[in-house]
Amino acid sequence: MTQTAAILRTGRKFDQVLRGAREVFLADGFEGASVDDIARAAGVSKATLYSYFPDKRLLFTEVAQTECKRLAENVISMIDDSKPAREVLTIAATQLAAFLVSDFSQQVFRVCVAERDRFPELGMAFFEAGPQNGQRHMVEYLEKAVEKGELAIEDVQIAAEQFSELCKVRIWTKAALGIQTSFSKSEIDEIALQAVDMFMARYGV
Amino acid sequence: MTQTAAILRTGRKFDQVLRGAREVFLADGFEGASVDDIARAAGVSKATLYSYFPDKRLLFTEVAQTECKRLAENVISMIDDSKPAREVLTIAATQLAAFLVSDFSQQVFRVCVAERDRFPELGMAFFEAGPQNGQRHMVEYLEKAVEKGELAIEDVQIAAEQFSELCKVRIWTKAALGIQTSFSKSEIDEIALQAVDMFMARYGV
DNA sequence: TTGTATCTGAACTGATCGGTTTATAGTTTG
DNA sequence: CAAACTATAAACCGATCAGTTCAGATACAA
């Protein structure tokens, strides 16, 4: 699983190839990206590319795994206990909403959905690294807040899921369908505010 | 826009072609579907197919538009005033949640996302026929409920969007990523219940 | 029966793409 | 310098696919 197959991870041009592949795959998906395009984007000959990666699929999964790891790291550290719940949630909602409609997040999601049948394990990897990972942190925070008596939640798991879902309102679907691709700070803030208002109405003390 | 180009809508085999195209496109996406496959699925020769549709793109957009219209019709009539708000919302939430994770809805969404760059107008058509159309009905209902004093909502538009978003909690992302493709009635009911609970906590009188 | 329109199947074109090979040239190391 | 390694460009192969062509089959109307 960790070492999918015989991939030379050494060599001067390895990272260069990977960067080119990342760029083209995220832009065009798996089928849409031609190996020639990738080689060109990487500034490397096709033969060199094939000396590092035995085939296109393996190159793709390598890129996808790397991206999922980056995603996981990005999600962490959105939460800071000490402050009052409403404030913490507002900050988290704002950052989450902004992240959810970011180019990066959208491209990864798009490739996962588009390539779902060709790479069934990809959706799972993305889900664990992204949504599930973020929700785990959220659950931890909510539990502490409940202990402190700041919130009253029966089912913290579903509360966490509802919270992240509320951060998608109005903006996420539009981004996913390509209807609107950039969002102003005030649009984001408005959604975050509405999300927190609803969350606190339900779970506030 | 309505009449994308020269398409013969008459002829014995027109609907037959369209049905075959629907089947294959929804299953395989745009690139994944070969014209030969479509012709075979439609029980028609490729020459006949091309006598109705000048090219593959046009055939695809025709299918997509037709599907979006069907989608719109399905969304309507989920709402019945006379009953108390909580009951109406629960029924609507249950039906909406079930619809959102249905094979049909998922496949259409998937193709829209995957083919976003190739057909920018497709996402828009889907959005208008699906989410936006459904929300328009929801807004109408919410306005009446506010008038009757059953609900207290400042911004009915965002309330409607929050409502449909809450119906996706836990199930929708999993379905989109192919992690879980079928959902039990009790899973759906649980999500609907949680959605209504939260909605009523925020907007109930 | 004859004429007309539609449909069929199969072959074909031209283009793209994944993947391989080859002949060549630069770089490193001893 | 020479051997070993690494990279390159370009040609090439086999497969797939969109779209065309065409000779003949089918159906139907006068």
Side-chain angles (χ1 to χ4, degrees):
Chain A
M1 181 61 70
T2 53
Q3 198 80 359
T4 22
I7 296 178
L8 301 188
R9 281 196 168 69
T10 61
R12 309 205 293 278
K13 309 264 173 147
F14 180 81
D15 290 331
Q16 202 173 327
V17 171
L18 215 58
R19 269 199 305 277
R22 178 192 124 95
E23 177 189 331
V24 180
F25 275 136
L26 285 185
D28 300 342
F30 181 76
E31 283 288 359
S34 83
V35 177
D36 292 273
D37 284 351
I38 293 171
R40 200 176 311 119
V44 139
S45 80
K46 204 159 68 152
T48 302
L49 186 154
Y50 272 100
S51 79
Y52 284 109
F53 295 92
D55 69 14
K56 193 188 177 190
R57 280 186 63 111
L58 240 41
L59 179 52
F60 181 77
T61 57
E62 185 70 20
V63 168
Q65 281 179 359
T66 306
E67 291 313 304
C68 284
K69 274 181 211 149
R70 289 171 53 127
L71 216 135
E73 288 162 22
N74 274 355
V75 172
I76 303 175
S77 83
M78 275 188 340
I79 295 171
D80 162 28
D81 306 51
S82 60
K83 294 174 184 163
R86 176 163 223 116
E87 195 174 331
V88 174
L89 291 175
T90 303
I91 293 169
T94 308
Q95 289 189 264
L96 182 56
F99 176 72
L100 286 171
V101 296
S102 70
D103 252 33
F104 171 72
S105 160
Q106 285 286 327
Q107 279 171 328
V108 174
F109 178 82
R110 180 171 161 231
V111 171
C112 287
V113 169
E115 250 60 61
R116 187 176 89 173
D117 290 347
R118 218 184 319 269
F119 303 99
E121 70 286 0
L122 188 60
M124 180 67 84
F126 168 73
F127 185 72
E128 281 169 9
Q132 203 160 71
N133 188 36
Q135 273 155 21
R136 199 170 49 249
H137 290 273
M138 192 65 194
V139 164
E140 281 171 27
Y141 168 72
L142 291 180
E143 279 169 350
K144 277 188 243 165
V146 169
E147 266 180 41
K148 283 198 278 182
E150 285 189 301
L151 297 171
I153 308 178
E154 319 87 72
D155 184 340
V156 287
Q157 177 59 41
I158 206 145
E161 293 179 44
Q162 286 174 322
F163 181 77
S164 51
E165 207 64 45
L166 283 172
C167 293
K168 296 183 190 169
V169 169
R170 181 162 291 179
I171 53 176
W172 192 88
T173 304
K174 278 188 195 160
L177 293 174
I179 294 167
Q180 189 180 346
T181 53
S182 95
F183 299 85
S184 71
K185 185 166 181 344
S186 70
E187 281 176 296
I188 301 283
D189 287 345
E190 168 70 8
I191 293 310
L193 177 67
Q194 293 284 354
V196 174
D197 277 352
M198 183 169 253
F199 193 85
M200 290 303 287
R202 172 76 222 269
Y203 298 120
V205 288
Chain B
M1 180 62 71
T2 53
Q3 197 80 1
T4 24
I7 296 178
L8 299 189
R9 280 195 169 69
T10 61
R12 309 204 293 277
K13 310 261 174 152
F14 179 81
D15 290 330
Q16 204 174 326
V17 170
L18 215 59
R19 269 200 303 278
R22 179 193 124 97
E23 178 189 330
V24 180
F25 275 137
L26 285 184
D28 300 342
F30 180 77
E31 283 287 359
S34 82
V35 177
D36 291 274
D37 284 351
I38 293 172
R40 201 175 311 118
V44 140
S45 79
K46 203 158 70 149
T48 303
L49 186 153
Y50 272 99
S51 79
Y52 285 109
F53 295 92
D55 69 14
K56 194 188 176 189
R57 282 182 60 114
L58 240 42
L59 179 53
F60 182 76
T61 56
E62 184 70 20
V63 168
Q65 281 179 355
T66 305
E67 290 313 304
C68 283
K69 275 180 212 150
R70 290 170 53 124
L71 216 135
E73 287 163 23
N74 273 356
V75 174
I76 302 174
S77 83
M78 274 189 340
I79 296 171
D80 162 27
D81 307 52
S82 60
K83 294 174 184 163
R86 175 162 224 117
E87 195 174 331
V88 174
L89 292 174
T90 304
I91 294 169
T94 309
Q95 288 189 265
L96 182 55
F99 176 73
L100 286 170
V101 296
S102 70
D103 254 33
F104 171 73
S105 161
Q106 286 286 327
Q107 280 170 328
V108 173
F109 178 83
R110 181 173 162 226
V111 172
C112 287
V113 170
E115 249 61 61
R116 187 175 88 175
D117 291 347
R118 220 182 322 268
F119 304 103
E121 70 285 0
L122 186 61
M124 181 67 83
F126 168 71
F127 185 72
E128 282 170 7
Q132 205 160 71
N133 188 37
Q135 274 156 21
R136 197 169 53 248
H137 289 274
M138 193 67 193
V139 164
E140 280 171 27
Y141 168 72
L142 292 180
E143 278 169 350
K144 277 188 243 165
V146 169
E147 266 179 42
K148 282 199 278 181
E150 286 190 299
L151 297 171
I153 308 177
E154 318 87 71
D155 185 339
V156 287
Q157 177 59 41
I158 206 146
E161 293 179 43
Q162 287 175 322
F163 181 77
S164 52
E165 208 66 43
L166 283 172
C167 293
K168 296 184 191 170
V169 169
R170 180 162 290 178
I171 52 176
W172 192 87
T173 305
K174 278 187 195 160
L177 294 173
I179 294 167
Q180 189 179 346
T181 52
S182 92
F183 299 85
S184 71
K185 184 165 183 341
S186 70
E187 282 176 296
I188 301 284
D189 287 344
E190 168 70 9
I191 294 309
L193 177 67
Q194 293 285 352
V196 173
D197 278 352
M198 184 167 252
F199 193 85
M200 291 302 288
R202 172 76 222 269
Y203 298 120
V205 287

